[in-house]
Amino acid sequence: MDRLAHLKSLIGKEFTDSPSPFMRWLKPVVISAEKGHLEFQYTIRPEWLNPIGNLHGGVTAAIIDDVLGATMFSLNEPTFYTTINNVIDYFSIGKEGENIIAETHITKLGKQFINATCEIWNSDKTRLIAKGTSNLFKTQITR
């Protein structure tokens, strides 16, 4: 089965067989999967909070980086992409127990570089929590 078909088969389920140990720790639920576009849902856990009880910016950045990596797998290319930069803007807070949605889009698909965006929203997409833009570089053939 190709990677995109596998992601589609997981819609509504936790992505427990991700090749990323970090993503498995995050425990995302696949909401939708299309070529170059994913939506994953996360539940904010206590260990993701900063000292004042809000979603930690570093966890937010890690979610953005990890789900953009999964978006590269949705392209069904036999290559691996690595992040070369992340730019993240924070707009709102997240609280423990809240469900958040990470939604990705490919902005520019080049031969060696990809520019992609991830927005993190509250569960009904009425409040933007953060937006990240990344450039990724094609590095090698995967097995």
PDB file of all heavy atoms in Angstrom, residues 90-116:
ATOM      1  N   TYR A  90       2.822  32.779  16.730  1.00  0.00           N
ATOM      2  CA  TYR A  90       1.889  32.310  17.754  1.00  0.00           C
ATOM      3  C   TYR A  90       0.798  33.365  17.925  1.00  0.00           C
ATOM      4  O   TYR A  90       1.092  34.543  18.083  1.00  0.00           O
ATOM      5  CB  TYR A  90       2.621  32.093  19.075  1.00  0.00           C
ATOM      6  CG  TYR A  90       3.709  31.046  18.963  1.00  0.00           C
ATOM      7  CD1 TYR A  90       5.012  31.404  18.629  1.00  0.00           C
ATOM      8  CD2 TYR A  90       3.431  29.702  19.177  1.00  0.00           C
ATOM      9  CE1 TYR A  90       6.010  30.440  18.522  1.00  0.00           C
ATOM     10  CE2 TYR A  90       4.418  28.742  19.072  1.00  0.00           C
ATOM     11  CZ  TYR A  90       5.705  29.112  18.740  1.00  0.00           C
ATOM     12  OH  TYR A  90       6.684  28.169  18.632  1.00  0.00           O
ATOM     13  N   PHE A  91      -0.460  32.927  17.898  1.00  0.00           N
ATOM     14  CA  PHE A  91      -1.581  33.860  17.932  1.00  0.00           C
ATOM     15  C   PHE A  91      -2.478  33.710  19.149  1.00  0.00           C
ATOM     16  O   PHE A  91      -3.151  34.651  19.542  1.00  0.00           O
ATOM     17  CB  PHE A  91      -2.440  33.685  16.676  1.00  0.00           C
ATOM     18  CG  PHE A  91      -1.686  33.954  15.406  1.00  0.00           C
ATOM     19  CD1 PHE A  91      -1.257  32.903  14.604  1.00  0.00           C
ATOM     20  CD2 PHE A  91      -1.373  35.243  15.020  1.00  0.00           C
ATOM     21  CE1 PHE A  91      -0.555  33.136  13.438  1.00  0.00           C
ATOM     22  CE2 PHE A  91      -0.667  35.490  13.854  1.00  0.00           C
ATOM     23  CZ  PHE A  91      -0.256  34.437  13.061  1.00  0.00           C
ATOM     24  N   SER A  92      -2.538  32.507  19.711  1.00  0.00           N
ATOM     25  CA  SER A  92      -3.461  32.257  20.804  1.00  0.00           C
ATOM     26  C   SER A  92      -2.902  31.127  21.667  1.00  0.00           C
ATOM     27  O   SER A  92      -1.884  30.540  21.337  1.00  0.00           O
ATOM     28  CB  SER A  92      -4.836  31.872  20.231  1.00  0.00           C
ATOM     29  OG  SER A  92      -5.790  31.740  21.257  1.00  0.00           O
ATOM     30  N   ILE A  93      -3.590  30.831  22.757  1.00  0.00           N
ATOM     31  CA  ILE A  93      -3.132  29.787  23.672  1.00  0.00           C
ATOM     32  C   ILE A  93      -3.974  28.520  23.505  1.00  0.00           C
ATOM     33  O   ILE A  93      -5.071  28.550  22.954  1.00  0.00           O
ATOM     34  CB  ILE A  93      -3.190  30.253  25.137  1.00  0.00           C
ATOM     35  CG1 ILE A  93      -4.629  30.591  25.532  1.00  0.00           C
ATOM     36  CG2 ILE A  93      -2.253  31.426  25.366  1.00  0.00           C
ATOM     37  CD1 ILE A  93      -4.833  30.832  27.004  1.00  0.00           C
ATOM     38  N   GLY A  94      -3.420  27.429  23.997  1.00  0.00           N
ATOM     39  CA  GLY A  94      -4.147  26.174  24.112  1.00  0.00           C
ATOM     40  C   GLY A  94      -4.075  25.731  25.563  1.00  0.00           C
ATOM     41  O   GLY A  94      -3.084  25.996  26.248  1.00  0.00           O
ATOM     42  N   LYS A  95      -5.109  25.073  26.028  1.00  0.00           N
ATOM     43  CA  LYS A  95      -5.195  24.633  27.422  1.00  0.00           C
ATOM     44  C   LYS A  95      -5.256  23.106  27.504  1.00  0.00           C
ATOM     45  O   LYS A  95      -5.691  22.436  26.569  1.00  0.00           O
ATOM     46  CB  LYS A  95      -6.441  25.217  28.093  1.00  0.00           C
ATOM     47  CG  LYS A  95      -6.391  26.724  28.294  1.00  0.00           C
ATOM     48  CD  LYS A  95      -5.389  27.076  29.352  1.00  0.00           C
ATOM     49  CE  LYS A  95      -5.444  28.530  29.756  1.00  0.00           C
ATOM     50  NZ  LYS A  95      -4.426  28.864  30.727  1.00  0.00           N
ATOM     51  N   GLU A  96      -4.864  22.582  28.647  1.00  0.00           N
ATOM     52  CA  GLU A  96      -4.893  21.143  28.895  1.00  0.00           C
ATOM     53  C   GLU A  96      -6.274  20.564  28.593  1.00  0.00           C
ATOM     54  O   GLU A  96      -7.298  21.138  28.968  1.00  0.00           O
ATOM     55  CB  GLU A  96      -4.531  20.857  30.350  1.00  0.00           C
ATOM     56  CG  GLU A  96      -4.513  19.391  30.687  1.00  0.00           C
ATOM     57  CD  GLU A  96      -4.151  19.115  32.134  1.00  0.00           C
ATOM     58  OE1 GLU A  96      -3.628  20.017  32.820  1.00  0.00           O
ATOM     59  OE2 GLU A  96      -4.394  17.981  32.579  1.00  0.00           O
ATOM     60  N   GLY A  97      -6.276  19.444  27.884  1.00  0.00           N
ATOM     61  CA  GLY A  97      -7.514  18.755  27.540  1.00  0.00           C
ATOM     62  C   GLY A  97      -8.174  19.242  26.270  1.00  0.00           C
ATOM     63  O   GLY A  97      -9.073  18.583  25.743  1.00  0.00           O
ATOM     64  N   GLU A  98      -7.742  20.393  25.775  1.00  0.00           N
ATOM     65  CA  GLU A  98      -8.318  20.944  24.549  1.00  0.00           C
ATOM     66  C   GLU A  98      -7.858  20.130  23.338  1.00  0.00           C
ATOM     67  O   GLU A  98      -6.702  19.711  23.258  1.00  0.00           O
ATOM     68  CB  GLU A  98      -7.877  22.408  24.412  1.00  0.00           C
ATOM     69  CG  GLU A  98      -8.455  23.123  23.219  1.00  0.00           C
ATOM     70  CD  GLU A  98      -8.028  24.591  23.148  1.00  0.00           C
ATOM     71  OE1 GLU A  98      -7.224  25.047  23.989  1.00  0.00           O
ATOM     72  OE2 GLU A  98      -8.503  25.272  22.238  1.00  0.00           O
ATOM     73  N   ASN A  99      -8.755  19.920  22.393  1.00  0.00           N
ATOM     74  CA  ASN A  99      -8.388  19.316  21.119  1.00  0.00           C
ATOM     75  C   ASN A  99      -7.978  20.419  20.158  1.00  0.00           C
ATOM     76  O   ASN A  99      -8.630  21.472  20.088  1.00  0.00           O
ATOM     77  CB  ASN A  99      -9.552  18.522  20.519  1.00  0.00           C
ATOM     78  CG  ASN A  99      -9.816  17.259  21.287  1.00  0.00           C
ATOM     79  OD1 ASN A  99      -8.906  16.618  21.801  1.00  0.00           O
ATOM     80  ND2 ASN A  99     -11.070  16.875  21.391  1.00  0.00           N
ATOM     81  N   ILE A 100      -6.887  20.163  19.447  1.00  0.00           N
ATOM     82  CA  ILE A 100      -6.400  21.108  18.455  1.00  0.00           C
ATOM     83  C   ILE A 100      -6.238  20.369  17.120  1.00  0.00           C
ATOM     84  O   ILE A 100      -6.048  19.158  17.093  1.00  0.00           O
ATOM     85  CB  ILE A 100      -5.076  21.782  18.875  1.00  0.00           C
ATOM     86  CG1 ILE A 100      -3.994  20.739  19.190  1.00  0.00           C
ATOM     87  CG2 ILE A 100      -5.311  22.720  20.061  1.00  0.00           C
ATOM     88  CD1 ILE A 100      -2.627  21.338  19.505  1.00  0.00           C
ATOM     89  N   ILE A 101      -6.334  21.123  16.050  1.00  0.00           N
ATOM     90  CA  ILE A 101      -6.216  20.573  14.697  1.00  0.00           C
ATOM     91  C   ILE A 101      -5.000  21.204  14.029  1.00  0.00           C
ATOM     92  O   ILE A 101      -4.859  22.427  14.000  1.00  0.00           O
ATOM     93  CB  ILE A 101      -7.457  20.906  13.840  1.00  0.00           C
ATOM     94  CG1 ILE A 101      -8.744  20.443  14.505  1.00  0.00           C
ATOM     95  CG2 ILE A 101      -7.299  20.354  12.412  1.00  0.00           C
ATOM     96  CD1 ILE A 101      -8.923  18.971  14.575  1.00  0.00           C
ATOM     97  N   ALA A 102      -4.120  20.349  13.485  1.00  0.00           N
ATOM     98  CA  ALA A 102      -2.990  20.813  12.679  1.00  0.00           C
ATOM     99  C   ALA A 102      -3.329  20.515  11.230  1.00  0.00           C
ATOM    100  O   ALA A 102      -3.599  19.370  10.861  1.00  0.00           O
ATOM    101  CB  ALA A 102      -1.704  20.098  13.086  1.00  0.00           C
ATOM    102  N   GLU A 103      -3.350  21.568  10.401  1.00  0.00           N
ATOM    103  CA  GLU A 103      -3.698  21.437   8.992  1.00  0.00           C
ATOM    104  C   GLU A 103      -2.533  21.923   8.138  1.00  0.00           C
ATOM    105  O   GLU A 103      -2.020  23.025   8.352  1.00  0.00           O
ATOM    106  CB  GLU A 103      -4.955  22.253   8.687  1.00  0.00           C
ATOM    107  CG  GLU A 103      -5.395  22.148   7.256  1.00  0.00           C
ATOM    108  CD  GLU A 103      -6.711  22.856   6.981  1.00  0.00           C
ATOM    109  OE1 GLU A 103      -7.249  23.546   7.878  1.00  0.00           O
ATOM    110  OE2 GLU A 103      -7.197  22.718   5.855  1.00  0.00           O
ATOM    111  N   THR A 104      -2.120  21.095   7.183  1.00  0.00           N
ATOM    112  CA  THR A 104      -0.952  21.415   6.362  1.00  0.00           C
ATOM    113  C   THR A 104      -1.329  21.650   4.903  1.00  0.00           C
ATOM    114  O   THR A 104      -2.339  21.127   4.415  1.00  0.00           O
ATOM    115  CB  THR A 104       0.097  20.288   6.418  1.00  0.00           C
ATOM    116  OG1 THR A 104      -0.444  19.114   5.796  1.00  0.00           O
ATOM    117  CG2 THR A 104       0.516  19.984   7.844  1.00  0.00           C
ATOM    118  N   HIS A 105      -0.467  22.423   4.241  1.00  0.00           N
ATOM    119  CA  HIS A 105      -0.603  22.687   2.808  1.00  0.00           C
ATOM    120  C   HIS A 105       0.788  22.826   2.206  1.00  0.00           C
ATOM    121  O   HIS A 105       1.685  23.391   2.849  1.00  0.00           O
ATOM    122  CB  HIS A 105      -1.346  24.008   2.549  1.00  0.00           C
ATOM    123  CG  HIS A 105      -2.729  24.047   3.094  1.00  0.00           C
ATOM    124  ND1 HIS A 105      -3.791  23.487   2.451  1.00  0.00           N
ATOM    125  CD2 HIS A 105      -3.217  24.577   4.231  1.00  0.00           C
ATOM    126  CE1 HIS A 105      -4.884  23.672   3.169  1.00  0.00           C
ATOM    127  NE2 HIS A 105      -4.554  24.328   4.261  1.00  0.00           N
ATOM    128  N   ILE A 106       0.956  22.348   0.989  1.00  0.00           N
ATOM    129  CA  ILE A 106       2.184  22.591   0.236  1.00  0.00           C
ATOM    130  C   ILE A 106       1.994  23.919  -0.485  1.00  0.00           C
ATOM    131  O   ILE A 106       1.024  24.105  -1.226  1.00  0.00           O
ATOM    132  CB  ILE A 106       2.441  21.471  -0.800  1.00  0.00           C
ATOM    133  CG1 ILE A 106       2.542  20.115  -0.119  1.00  0.00           C
ATOM    134  CG2 ILE A 106       3.662  21.795  -1.648  1.00  0.00           C
ATOM    135  CD1 ILE A 106       3.826  19.793   0.543  1.00  0.00           C
ATOM    136  N   THR A 107       2.909  24.841  -0.262  1.00  0.00           N
ATOM    137  CA  THR A 107       2.846  26.139  -0.922  1.00  0.00           C
ATOM    138  C   THR A 107       3.565  26.090  -2.266  1.00  0.00           C
ATOM    139  O   THR A 107       3.060  26.567  -3.270  1.00  0.00           O
ATOM    140  CB  THR A 107       3.486  27.223  -0.028  1.00  0.00           C
ATOM    141  OG1 THR A 107       2.873  27.157   1.262  1.00  0.00           O
ATOM    142  CG2 THR A 107       3.323  28.602  -0.611  1.00  0.00           C
ATOM    143  N   LYS A 108       4.751  25.487  -2.281  1.00  0.00           N
ATOM    144  CA  LYS A 108       5.568  25.388  -3.496  1.00  0.00           C
ATOM    145  C   LYS A 108       6.284  24.063  -3.487  1.00  0.00           C
ATOM    146  O   LYS A 108       6.990  23.729  -2.545  1.00  0.00           O
ATOM    147  CB  LYS A 108       6.584  26.541  -3.532  1.00  0.00           C
ATOM    148  CG  LYS A 108       7.625  26.455  -4.619  1.00  0.00           C
ATOM    149  CD  LYS A 108       7.130  27.041  -5.908  1.00  0.00           C
ATOM    150  CE  LYS A 108       8.232  27.234  -6.926  1.00  0.00           C
ATOM    151  NZ  LYS A 108       8.415  26.154  -7.838  1.00  0.00           N
ATOM    152  N   LEU A 109       6.081  23.277  -4.536  1.00  0.00           N
ATOM    153  CA  LEU A 109       6.722  21.982  -4.690  1.00  0.00           C
ATOM    154  C   LEU A 109       7.754  22.087  -5.804  1.00  0.00           C
ATOM    155  O   LEU A 109       7.403  22.175  -6.969  1.00  0.00           O
ATOM    156  CB  LEU A 109       5.670  20.911  -5.023  1.00  0.00           C
ATOM    157  CG  LEU A 109       6.138  19.496  -5.259  1.00  0.00           C
ATOM    158  CD1 LEU A 109       6.847  18.941  -4.036  1.00  0.00           C
ATOM    159  CD2 LEU A 109       4.954  18.615  -5.627  1.00  0.00           C
ATOM    160  N   GLY A 110       9.025  22.132  -5.406  1.00  0.00           N
ATOM    161  CA  GLY A 110      10.103  22.210  -6.376  1.00  0.00           C
ATOM    162  C   GLY A 110      10.767  20.861  -6.559  1.00  0.00           C
ATOM    163  O   GLY A 110      10.355  19.862  -5.968  1.00  0.00           O
ATOM    164  N   LYS A 111      11.812  20.835  -7.357  1.00  0.00           N
ATOM    165  CA  LYS A 111      12.527  19.578  -7.600  1.00  0.00           C
ATOM    166  C   LYS A 111      13.365  19.157  -6.396  1.00  0.00           C
ATOM    167  O   LYS A 111      13.526  17.973  -6.144  1.00  0.00           O
ATOM    168  CB  LYS A 111      13.417  19.696  -8.838  1.00  0.00           C
ATOM    169  CG  LYS A 111      12.616  19.809 -10.104  1.00  0.00           C
ATOM    170  CD  LYS A 111      13.511  19.891 -11.306  1.00  0.00           C
ATOM    171  CE  LYS A 111      12.652  20.040 -12.557  1.00  0.00           C
ATOM    172  NZ  LYS A 111      13.464  20.136 -13.750  1.00  0.00           N
ATOM    173  N   GLN A 112      13.921  20.096  -5.666  1.00  0.00           N
ATOM    174  CA  GLN A 112      14.756  19.798  -4.497  1.00  0.00           C
ATOM    175  C   GLN A 112      14.200  20.356  -3.199  1.00  0.00           C
ATOM    176  O   GLN A 112      14.478  19.850  -2.130  1.00  0.00           O
ATOM    177  CB  GLN A 112      16.173  20.353  -4.694  1.00  0.00           C
ATOM    178  CG  GLN A 112      17.020  19.602  -5.692  1.00  0.00           C
ATOM    179  CD  GLN A 112      17.319  18.187  -5.248  1.00  0.00           C
ATOM    180  OE1 GLN A 112      16.959  17.239  -5.925  1.00  0.00           O
ATOM    181  NE2 GLN A 112      17.939  18.012  -4.111  1.00  0.00           N
ATOM    182  N   PHE A 113      13.421  21.434  -3.290  1.00  0.00           N
ATOM    183  CA  PHE A 113      12.914  22.115  -2.100  1.00  0.00           C
ATOM    184  C   PHE A 113      11.392  22.162  -2.122  1.00  0.00           C
ATOM    185  O   PHE A 113      10.785  22.257  -3.178  1.00  0.00           O
ATOM    186  CB  PHE A 113      13.443  23.557  -2.018  1.00  0.00           C
ATOM    187  CG  PHE A 113      14.919  23.646  -1.821  1.00  0.00           C
ATOM    188  CD1 PHE A 113      15.770  23.747  -2.916  1.00  0.00           C
ATOM    189  CD2 PHE A 113      15.463  23.607  -0.554  1.00  0.00           C
ATOM    190  CE1 PHE A 113      17.141  23.826  -2.733  1.00  0.00           C
ATOM    191  CE2 PHE A 113      16.838  23.677  -0.364  1.00  0.00           C
ATOM    192  CZ  PHE A 113      17.672  23.790  -1.467  1.00  0.00           C
ATOM    193  N   ILE A 114      10.828  22.110  -0.934  1.00  0.00           N
ATOM    194  CA  ILE A 114       9.390  22.263  -0.759  1.00  0.00           C
ATOM    195  C   ILE A 114       9.158  23.333   0.300  1.00  0.00           C
ATOM    196  O   ILE A 114       9.826  23.348   1.331  1.00  0.00           O
ATOM    197  CB  ILE A 114       8.732  20.941  -0.308  1.00  0.00           C
ATOM    198  CG1 ILE A 114       8.829  19.900  -1.420  1.00  0.00           C
ATOM    199  CG2 ILE A 114       7.283  21.166   0.101  1.00  0.00           C
ATOM    200  CD1 ILE A 114       8.244  18.555  -1.050  1.00  0.00           C
ATOM    201  N   ASN A 115       8.227  24.227   0.032  1.00  0.00           N
ATOM    202  CA  ASN A 115       7.774  25.185   1.025  1.00  0.00           C
ATOM    203  C   ASN A 115       6.384  24.745   1.450  1.00  0.00           C
ATOM    204  O   ASN A 115       5.526  24.487   0.603  1.00  0.00           O
ATOM    205  CB  ASN A 115       7.742  26.608   0.458  1.00  0.00           C
ATOM    206  CG  ASN A 115       7.241  27.602   1.482  1.00  0.00           C
ATOM    207  OD1 ASN A 115       6.051  27.830   1.587  1.00  0.00           O
ATOM    208  ND2 ASN A 115       8.158  28.179   2.239  1.00  0.00           N
ATOM    209  N   ALA A 116       6.176  24.611   2.752  1.00  0.00           N
ATOM    210  CA  ALA A 116       4.898  24.115   3.268  1.00  0.00           C
ATOM    211  C   ALA A 116       4.475  24.917   4.491  1.00  0.00           C
ATOM    212  O   ALA A 116       5.302  25.510   5.178  1.00  0.00           O
ATOM    213  CB  ALA A 116       5.024  22.634   3.621  1.00  0.00           C
TER     214      ALA A 116
END
